[in-house]
Short mmCIF file of all heavy atoms in Angstrom, two decimals:
data_model
loop_
_atom_site.label_atom_id
_atom_site.label_comp_id
_atom_site.label_asym_id
_atom_site.label_seq_id
_atom_site.Cartn_x
_atom_site.Cartn_y
_atom_site.Cartn_z
N ARG A 21 -12.54 0.79 -3.15
CA ARG A 21 -13.54 -0.25 -3.39
C ARG A 21 -14.31 0.07 -4.67
O ARG A 21 -14.46 1.23 -5.02
CB ARG A 21 -14.52 -0.35 -2.22
CG ARG A 21 -13.90 -0.84 -0.93
CD ARG A 21 -14.98 -1.03 0.12
NE ARG A 21 -14.45 -1.55 1.37
CZ ARG A 21 -14.00 -0.79 2.35
NH1 ARG A 21 -13.99 0.52 2.21
NH2 ARG A 21 -13.54 -1.33 3.47
N SER A 43 -0.57 -5.11 9.87
CA SER A 43 -0.12 -4.29 10.99
C SER A 43 0.44 -5.14 12.12
O SER A 43 1.47 -4.80 12.72
CB SER A 43 -1.28 -3.43 11.51
OG SER A 43 -1.72 -2.51 10.52
N VAL A 50 9.20 -5.16 13.90
CA VAL A 50 9.97 -3.97 14.29
C VAL A 50 10.12 -3.83 15.78
O VAL A 50 11.00 -3.11 16.26
CB VAL A 50 9.34 -2.68 13.71
CG1 VAL A 50 9.31 -2.72 12.21
CG2 VAL A 50 7.95 -2.44 14.27
N VAL A 112 16.18 8.27 0.85
CA VAL A 112 17.58 8.38 1.28
C VAL A 112 18.04 7.04 1.85
O VAL A 112 17.42 6.53 2.80
CB VAL A 112 17.74 9.48 2.35
CG1 VAL A 112 19.21 9.59 2.79
CG2 VAL A 112 17.22 10.81 1.85
N SER A 131 -6.70 -7.50 -6.81
CA SER A 131 -7.56 -8.31 -7.67
C SER A 131 -7.00 -8.24 -9.09
O SER A 131 -6.26 -7.32 -9.42
CB SER A 131 -9.01 -7.80 -7.63
OG SER A 131 -9.10 -6.45 -8.04
N ARG A 143 2.93 0.63 -14.19
CA ARG A 143 3.71 -0.40 -14.88
C ARG A 143 5.20 -0.26 -14.62
O ARG A 143 5.94 -1.25 -14.66
CB ARG A 143 3.45 -0.35 -16.39
CG ARG A 143 2.03 -0.62 -16.81
CD ARG A 143 1.94 -0.97 -18.30
NE ARG A 143 2.64 -0.01 -19.12
CZ ARG A 143 2.07 1.05 -19.70
NH1 ARG A 143 0.79 1.30 -19.50
NH2 ARG A 143 2.77 1.86 -20.47
N ILE A 145 6.80 0.35 -11.96
CA ILE A 145 7.25 -0.13 -10.65
C ILE A 145 6.93 -1.61 -10.53
O ILE A 145 5.81 -2.04 -10.78
CB ILE A 145 6.58 0.65 -9.50
CG1 ILE A 145 6.98 2.13 -9.59
CG2 ILE A 145 6.97 0.07 -8.15
CD1 ILE A 145 6.35 2.99 -8.52
#
Side-chain angles (χ1 to χ4, degrees):
R21 293 186 178 89
S43 296
V50 299
V112 181
S131 59
R143 298 197 310 266
I145 298 179

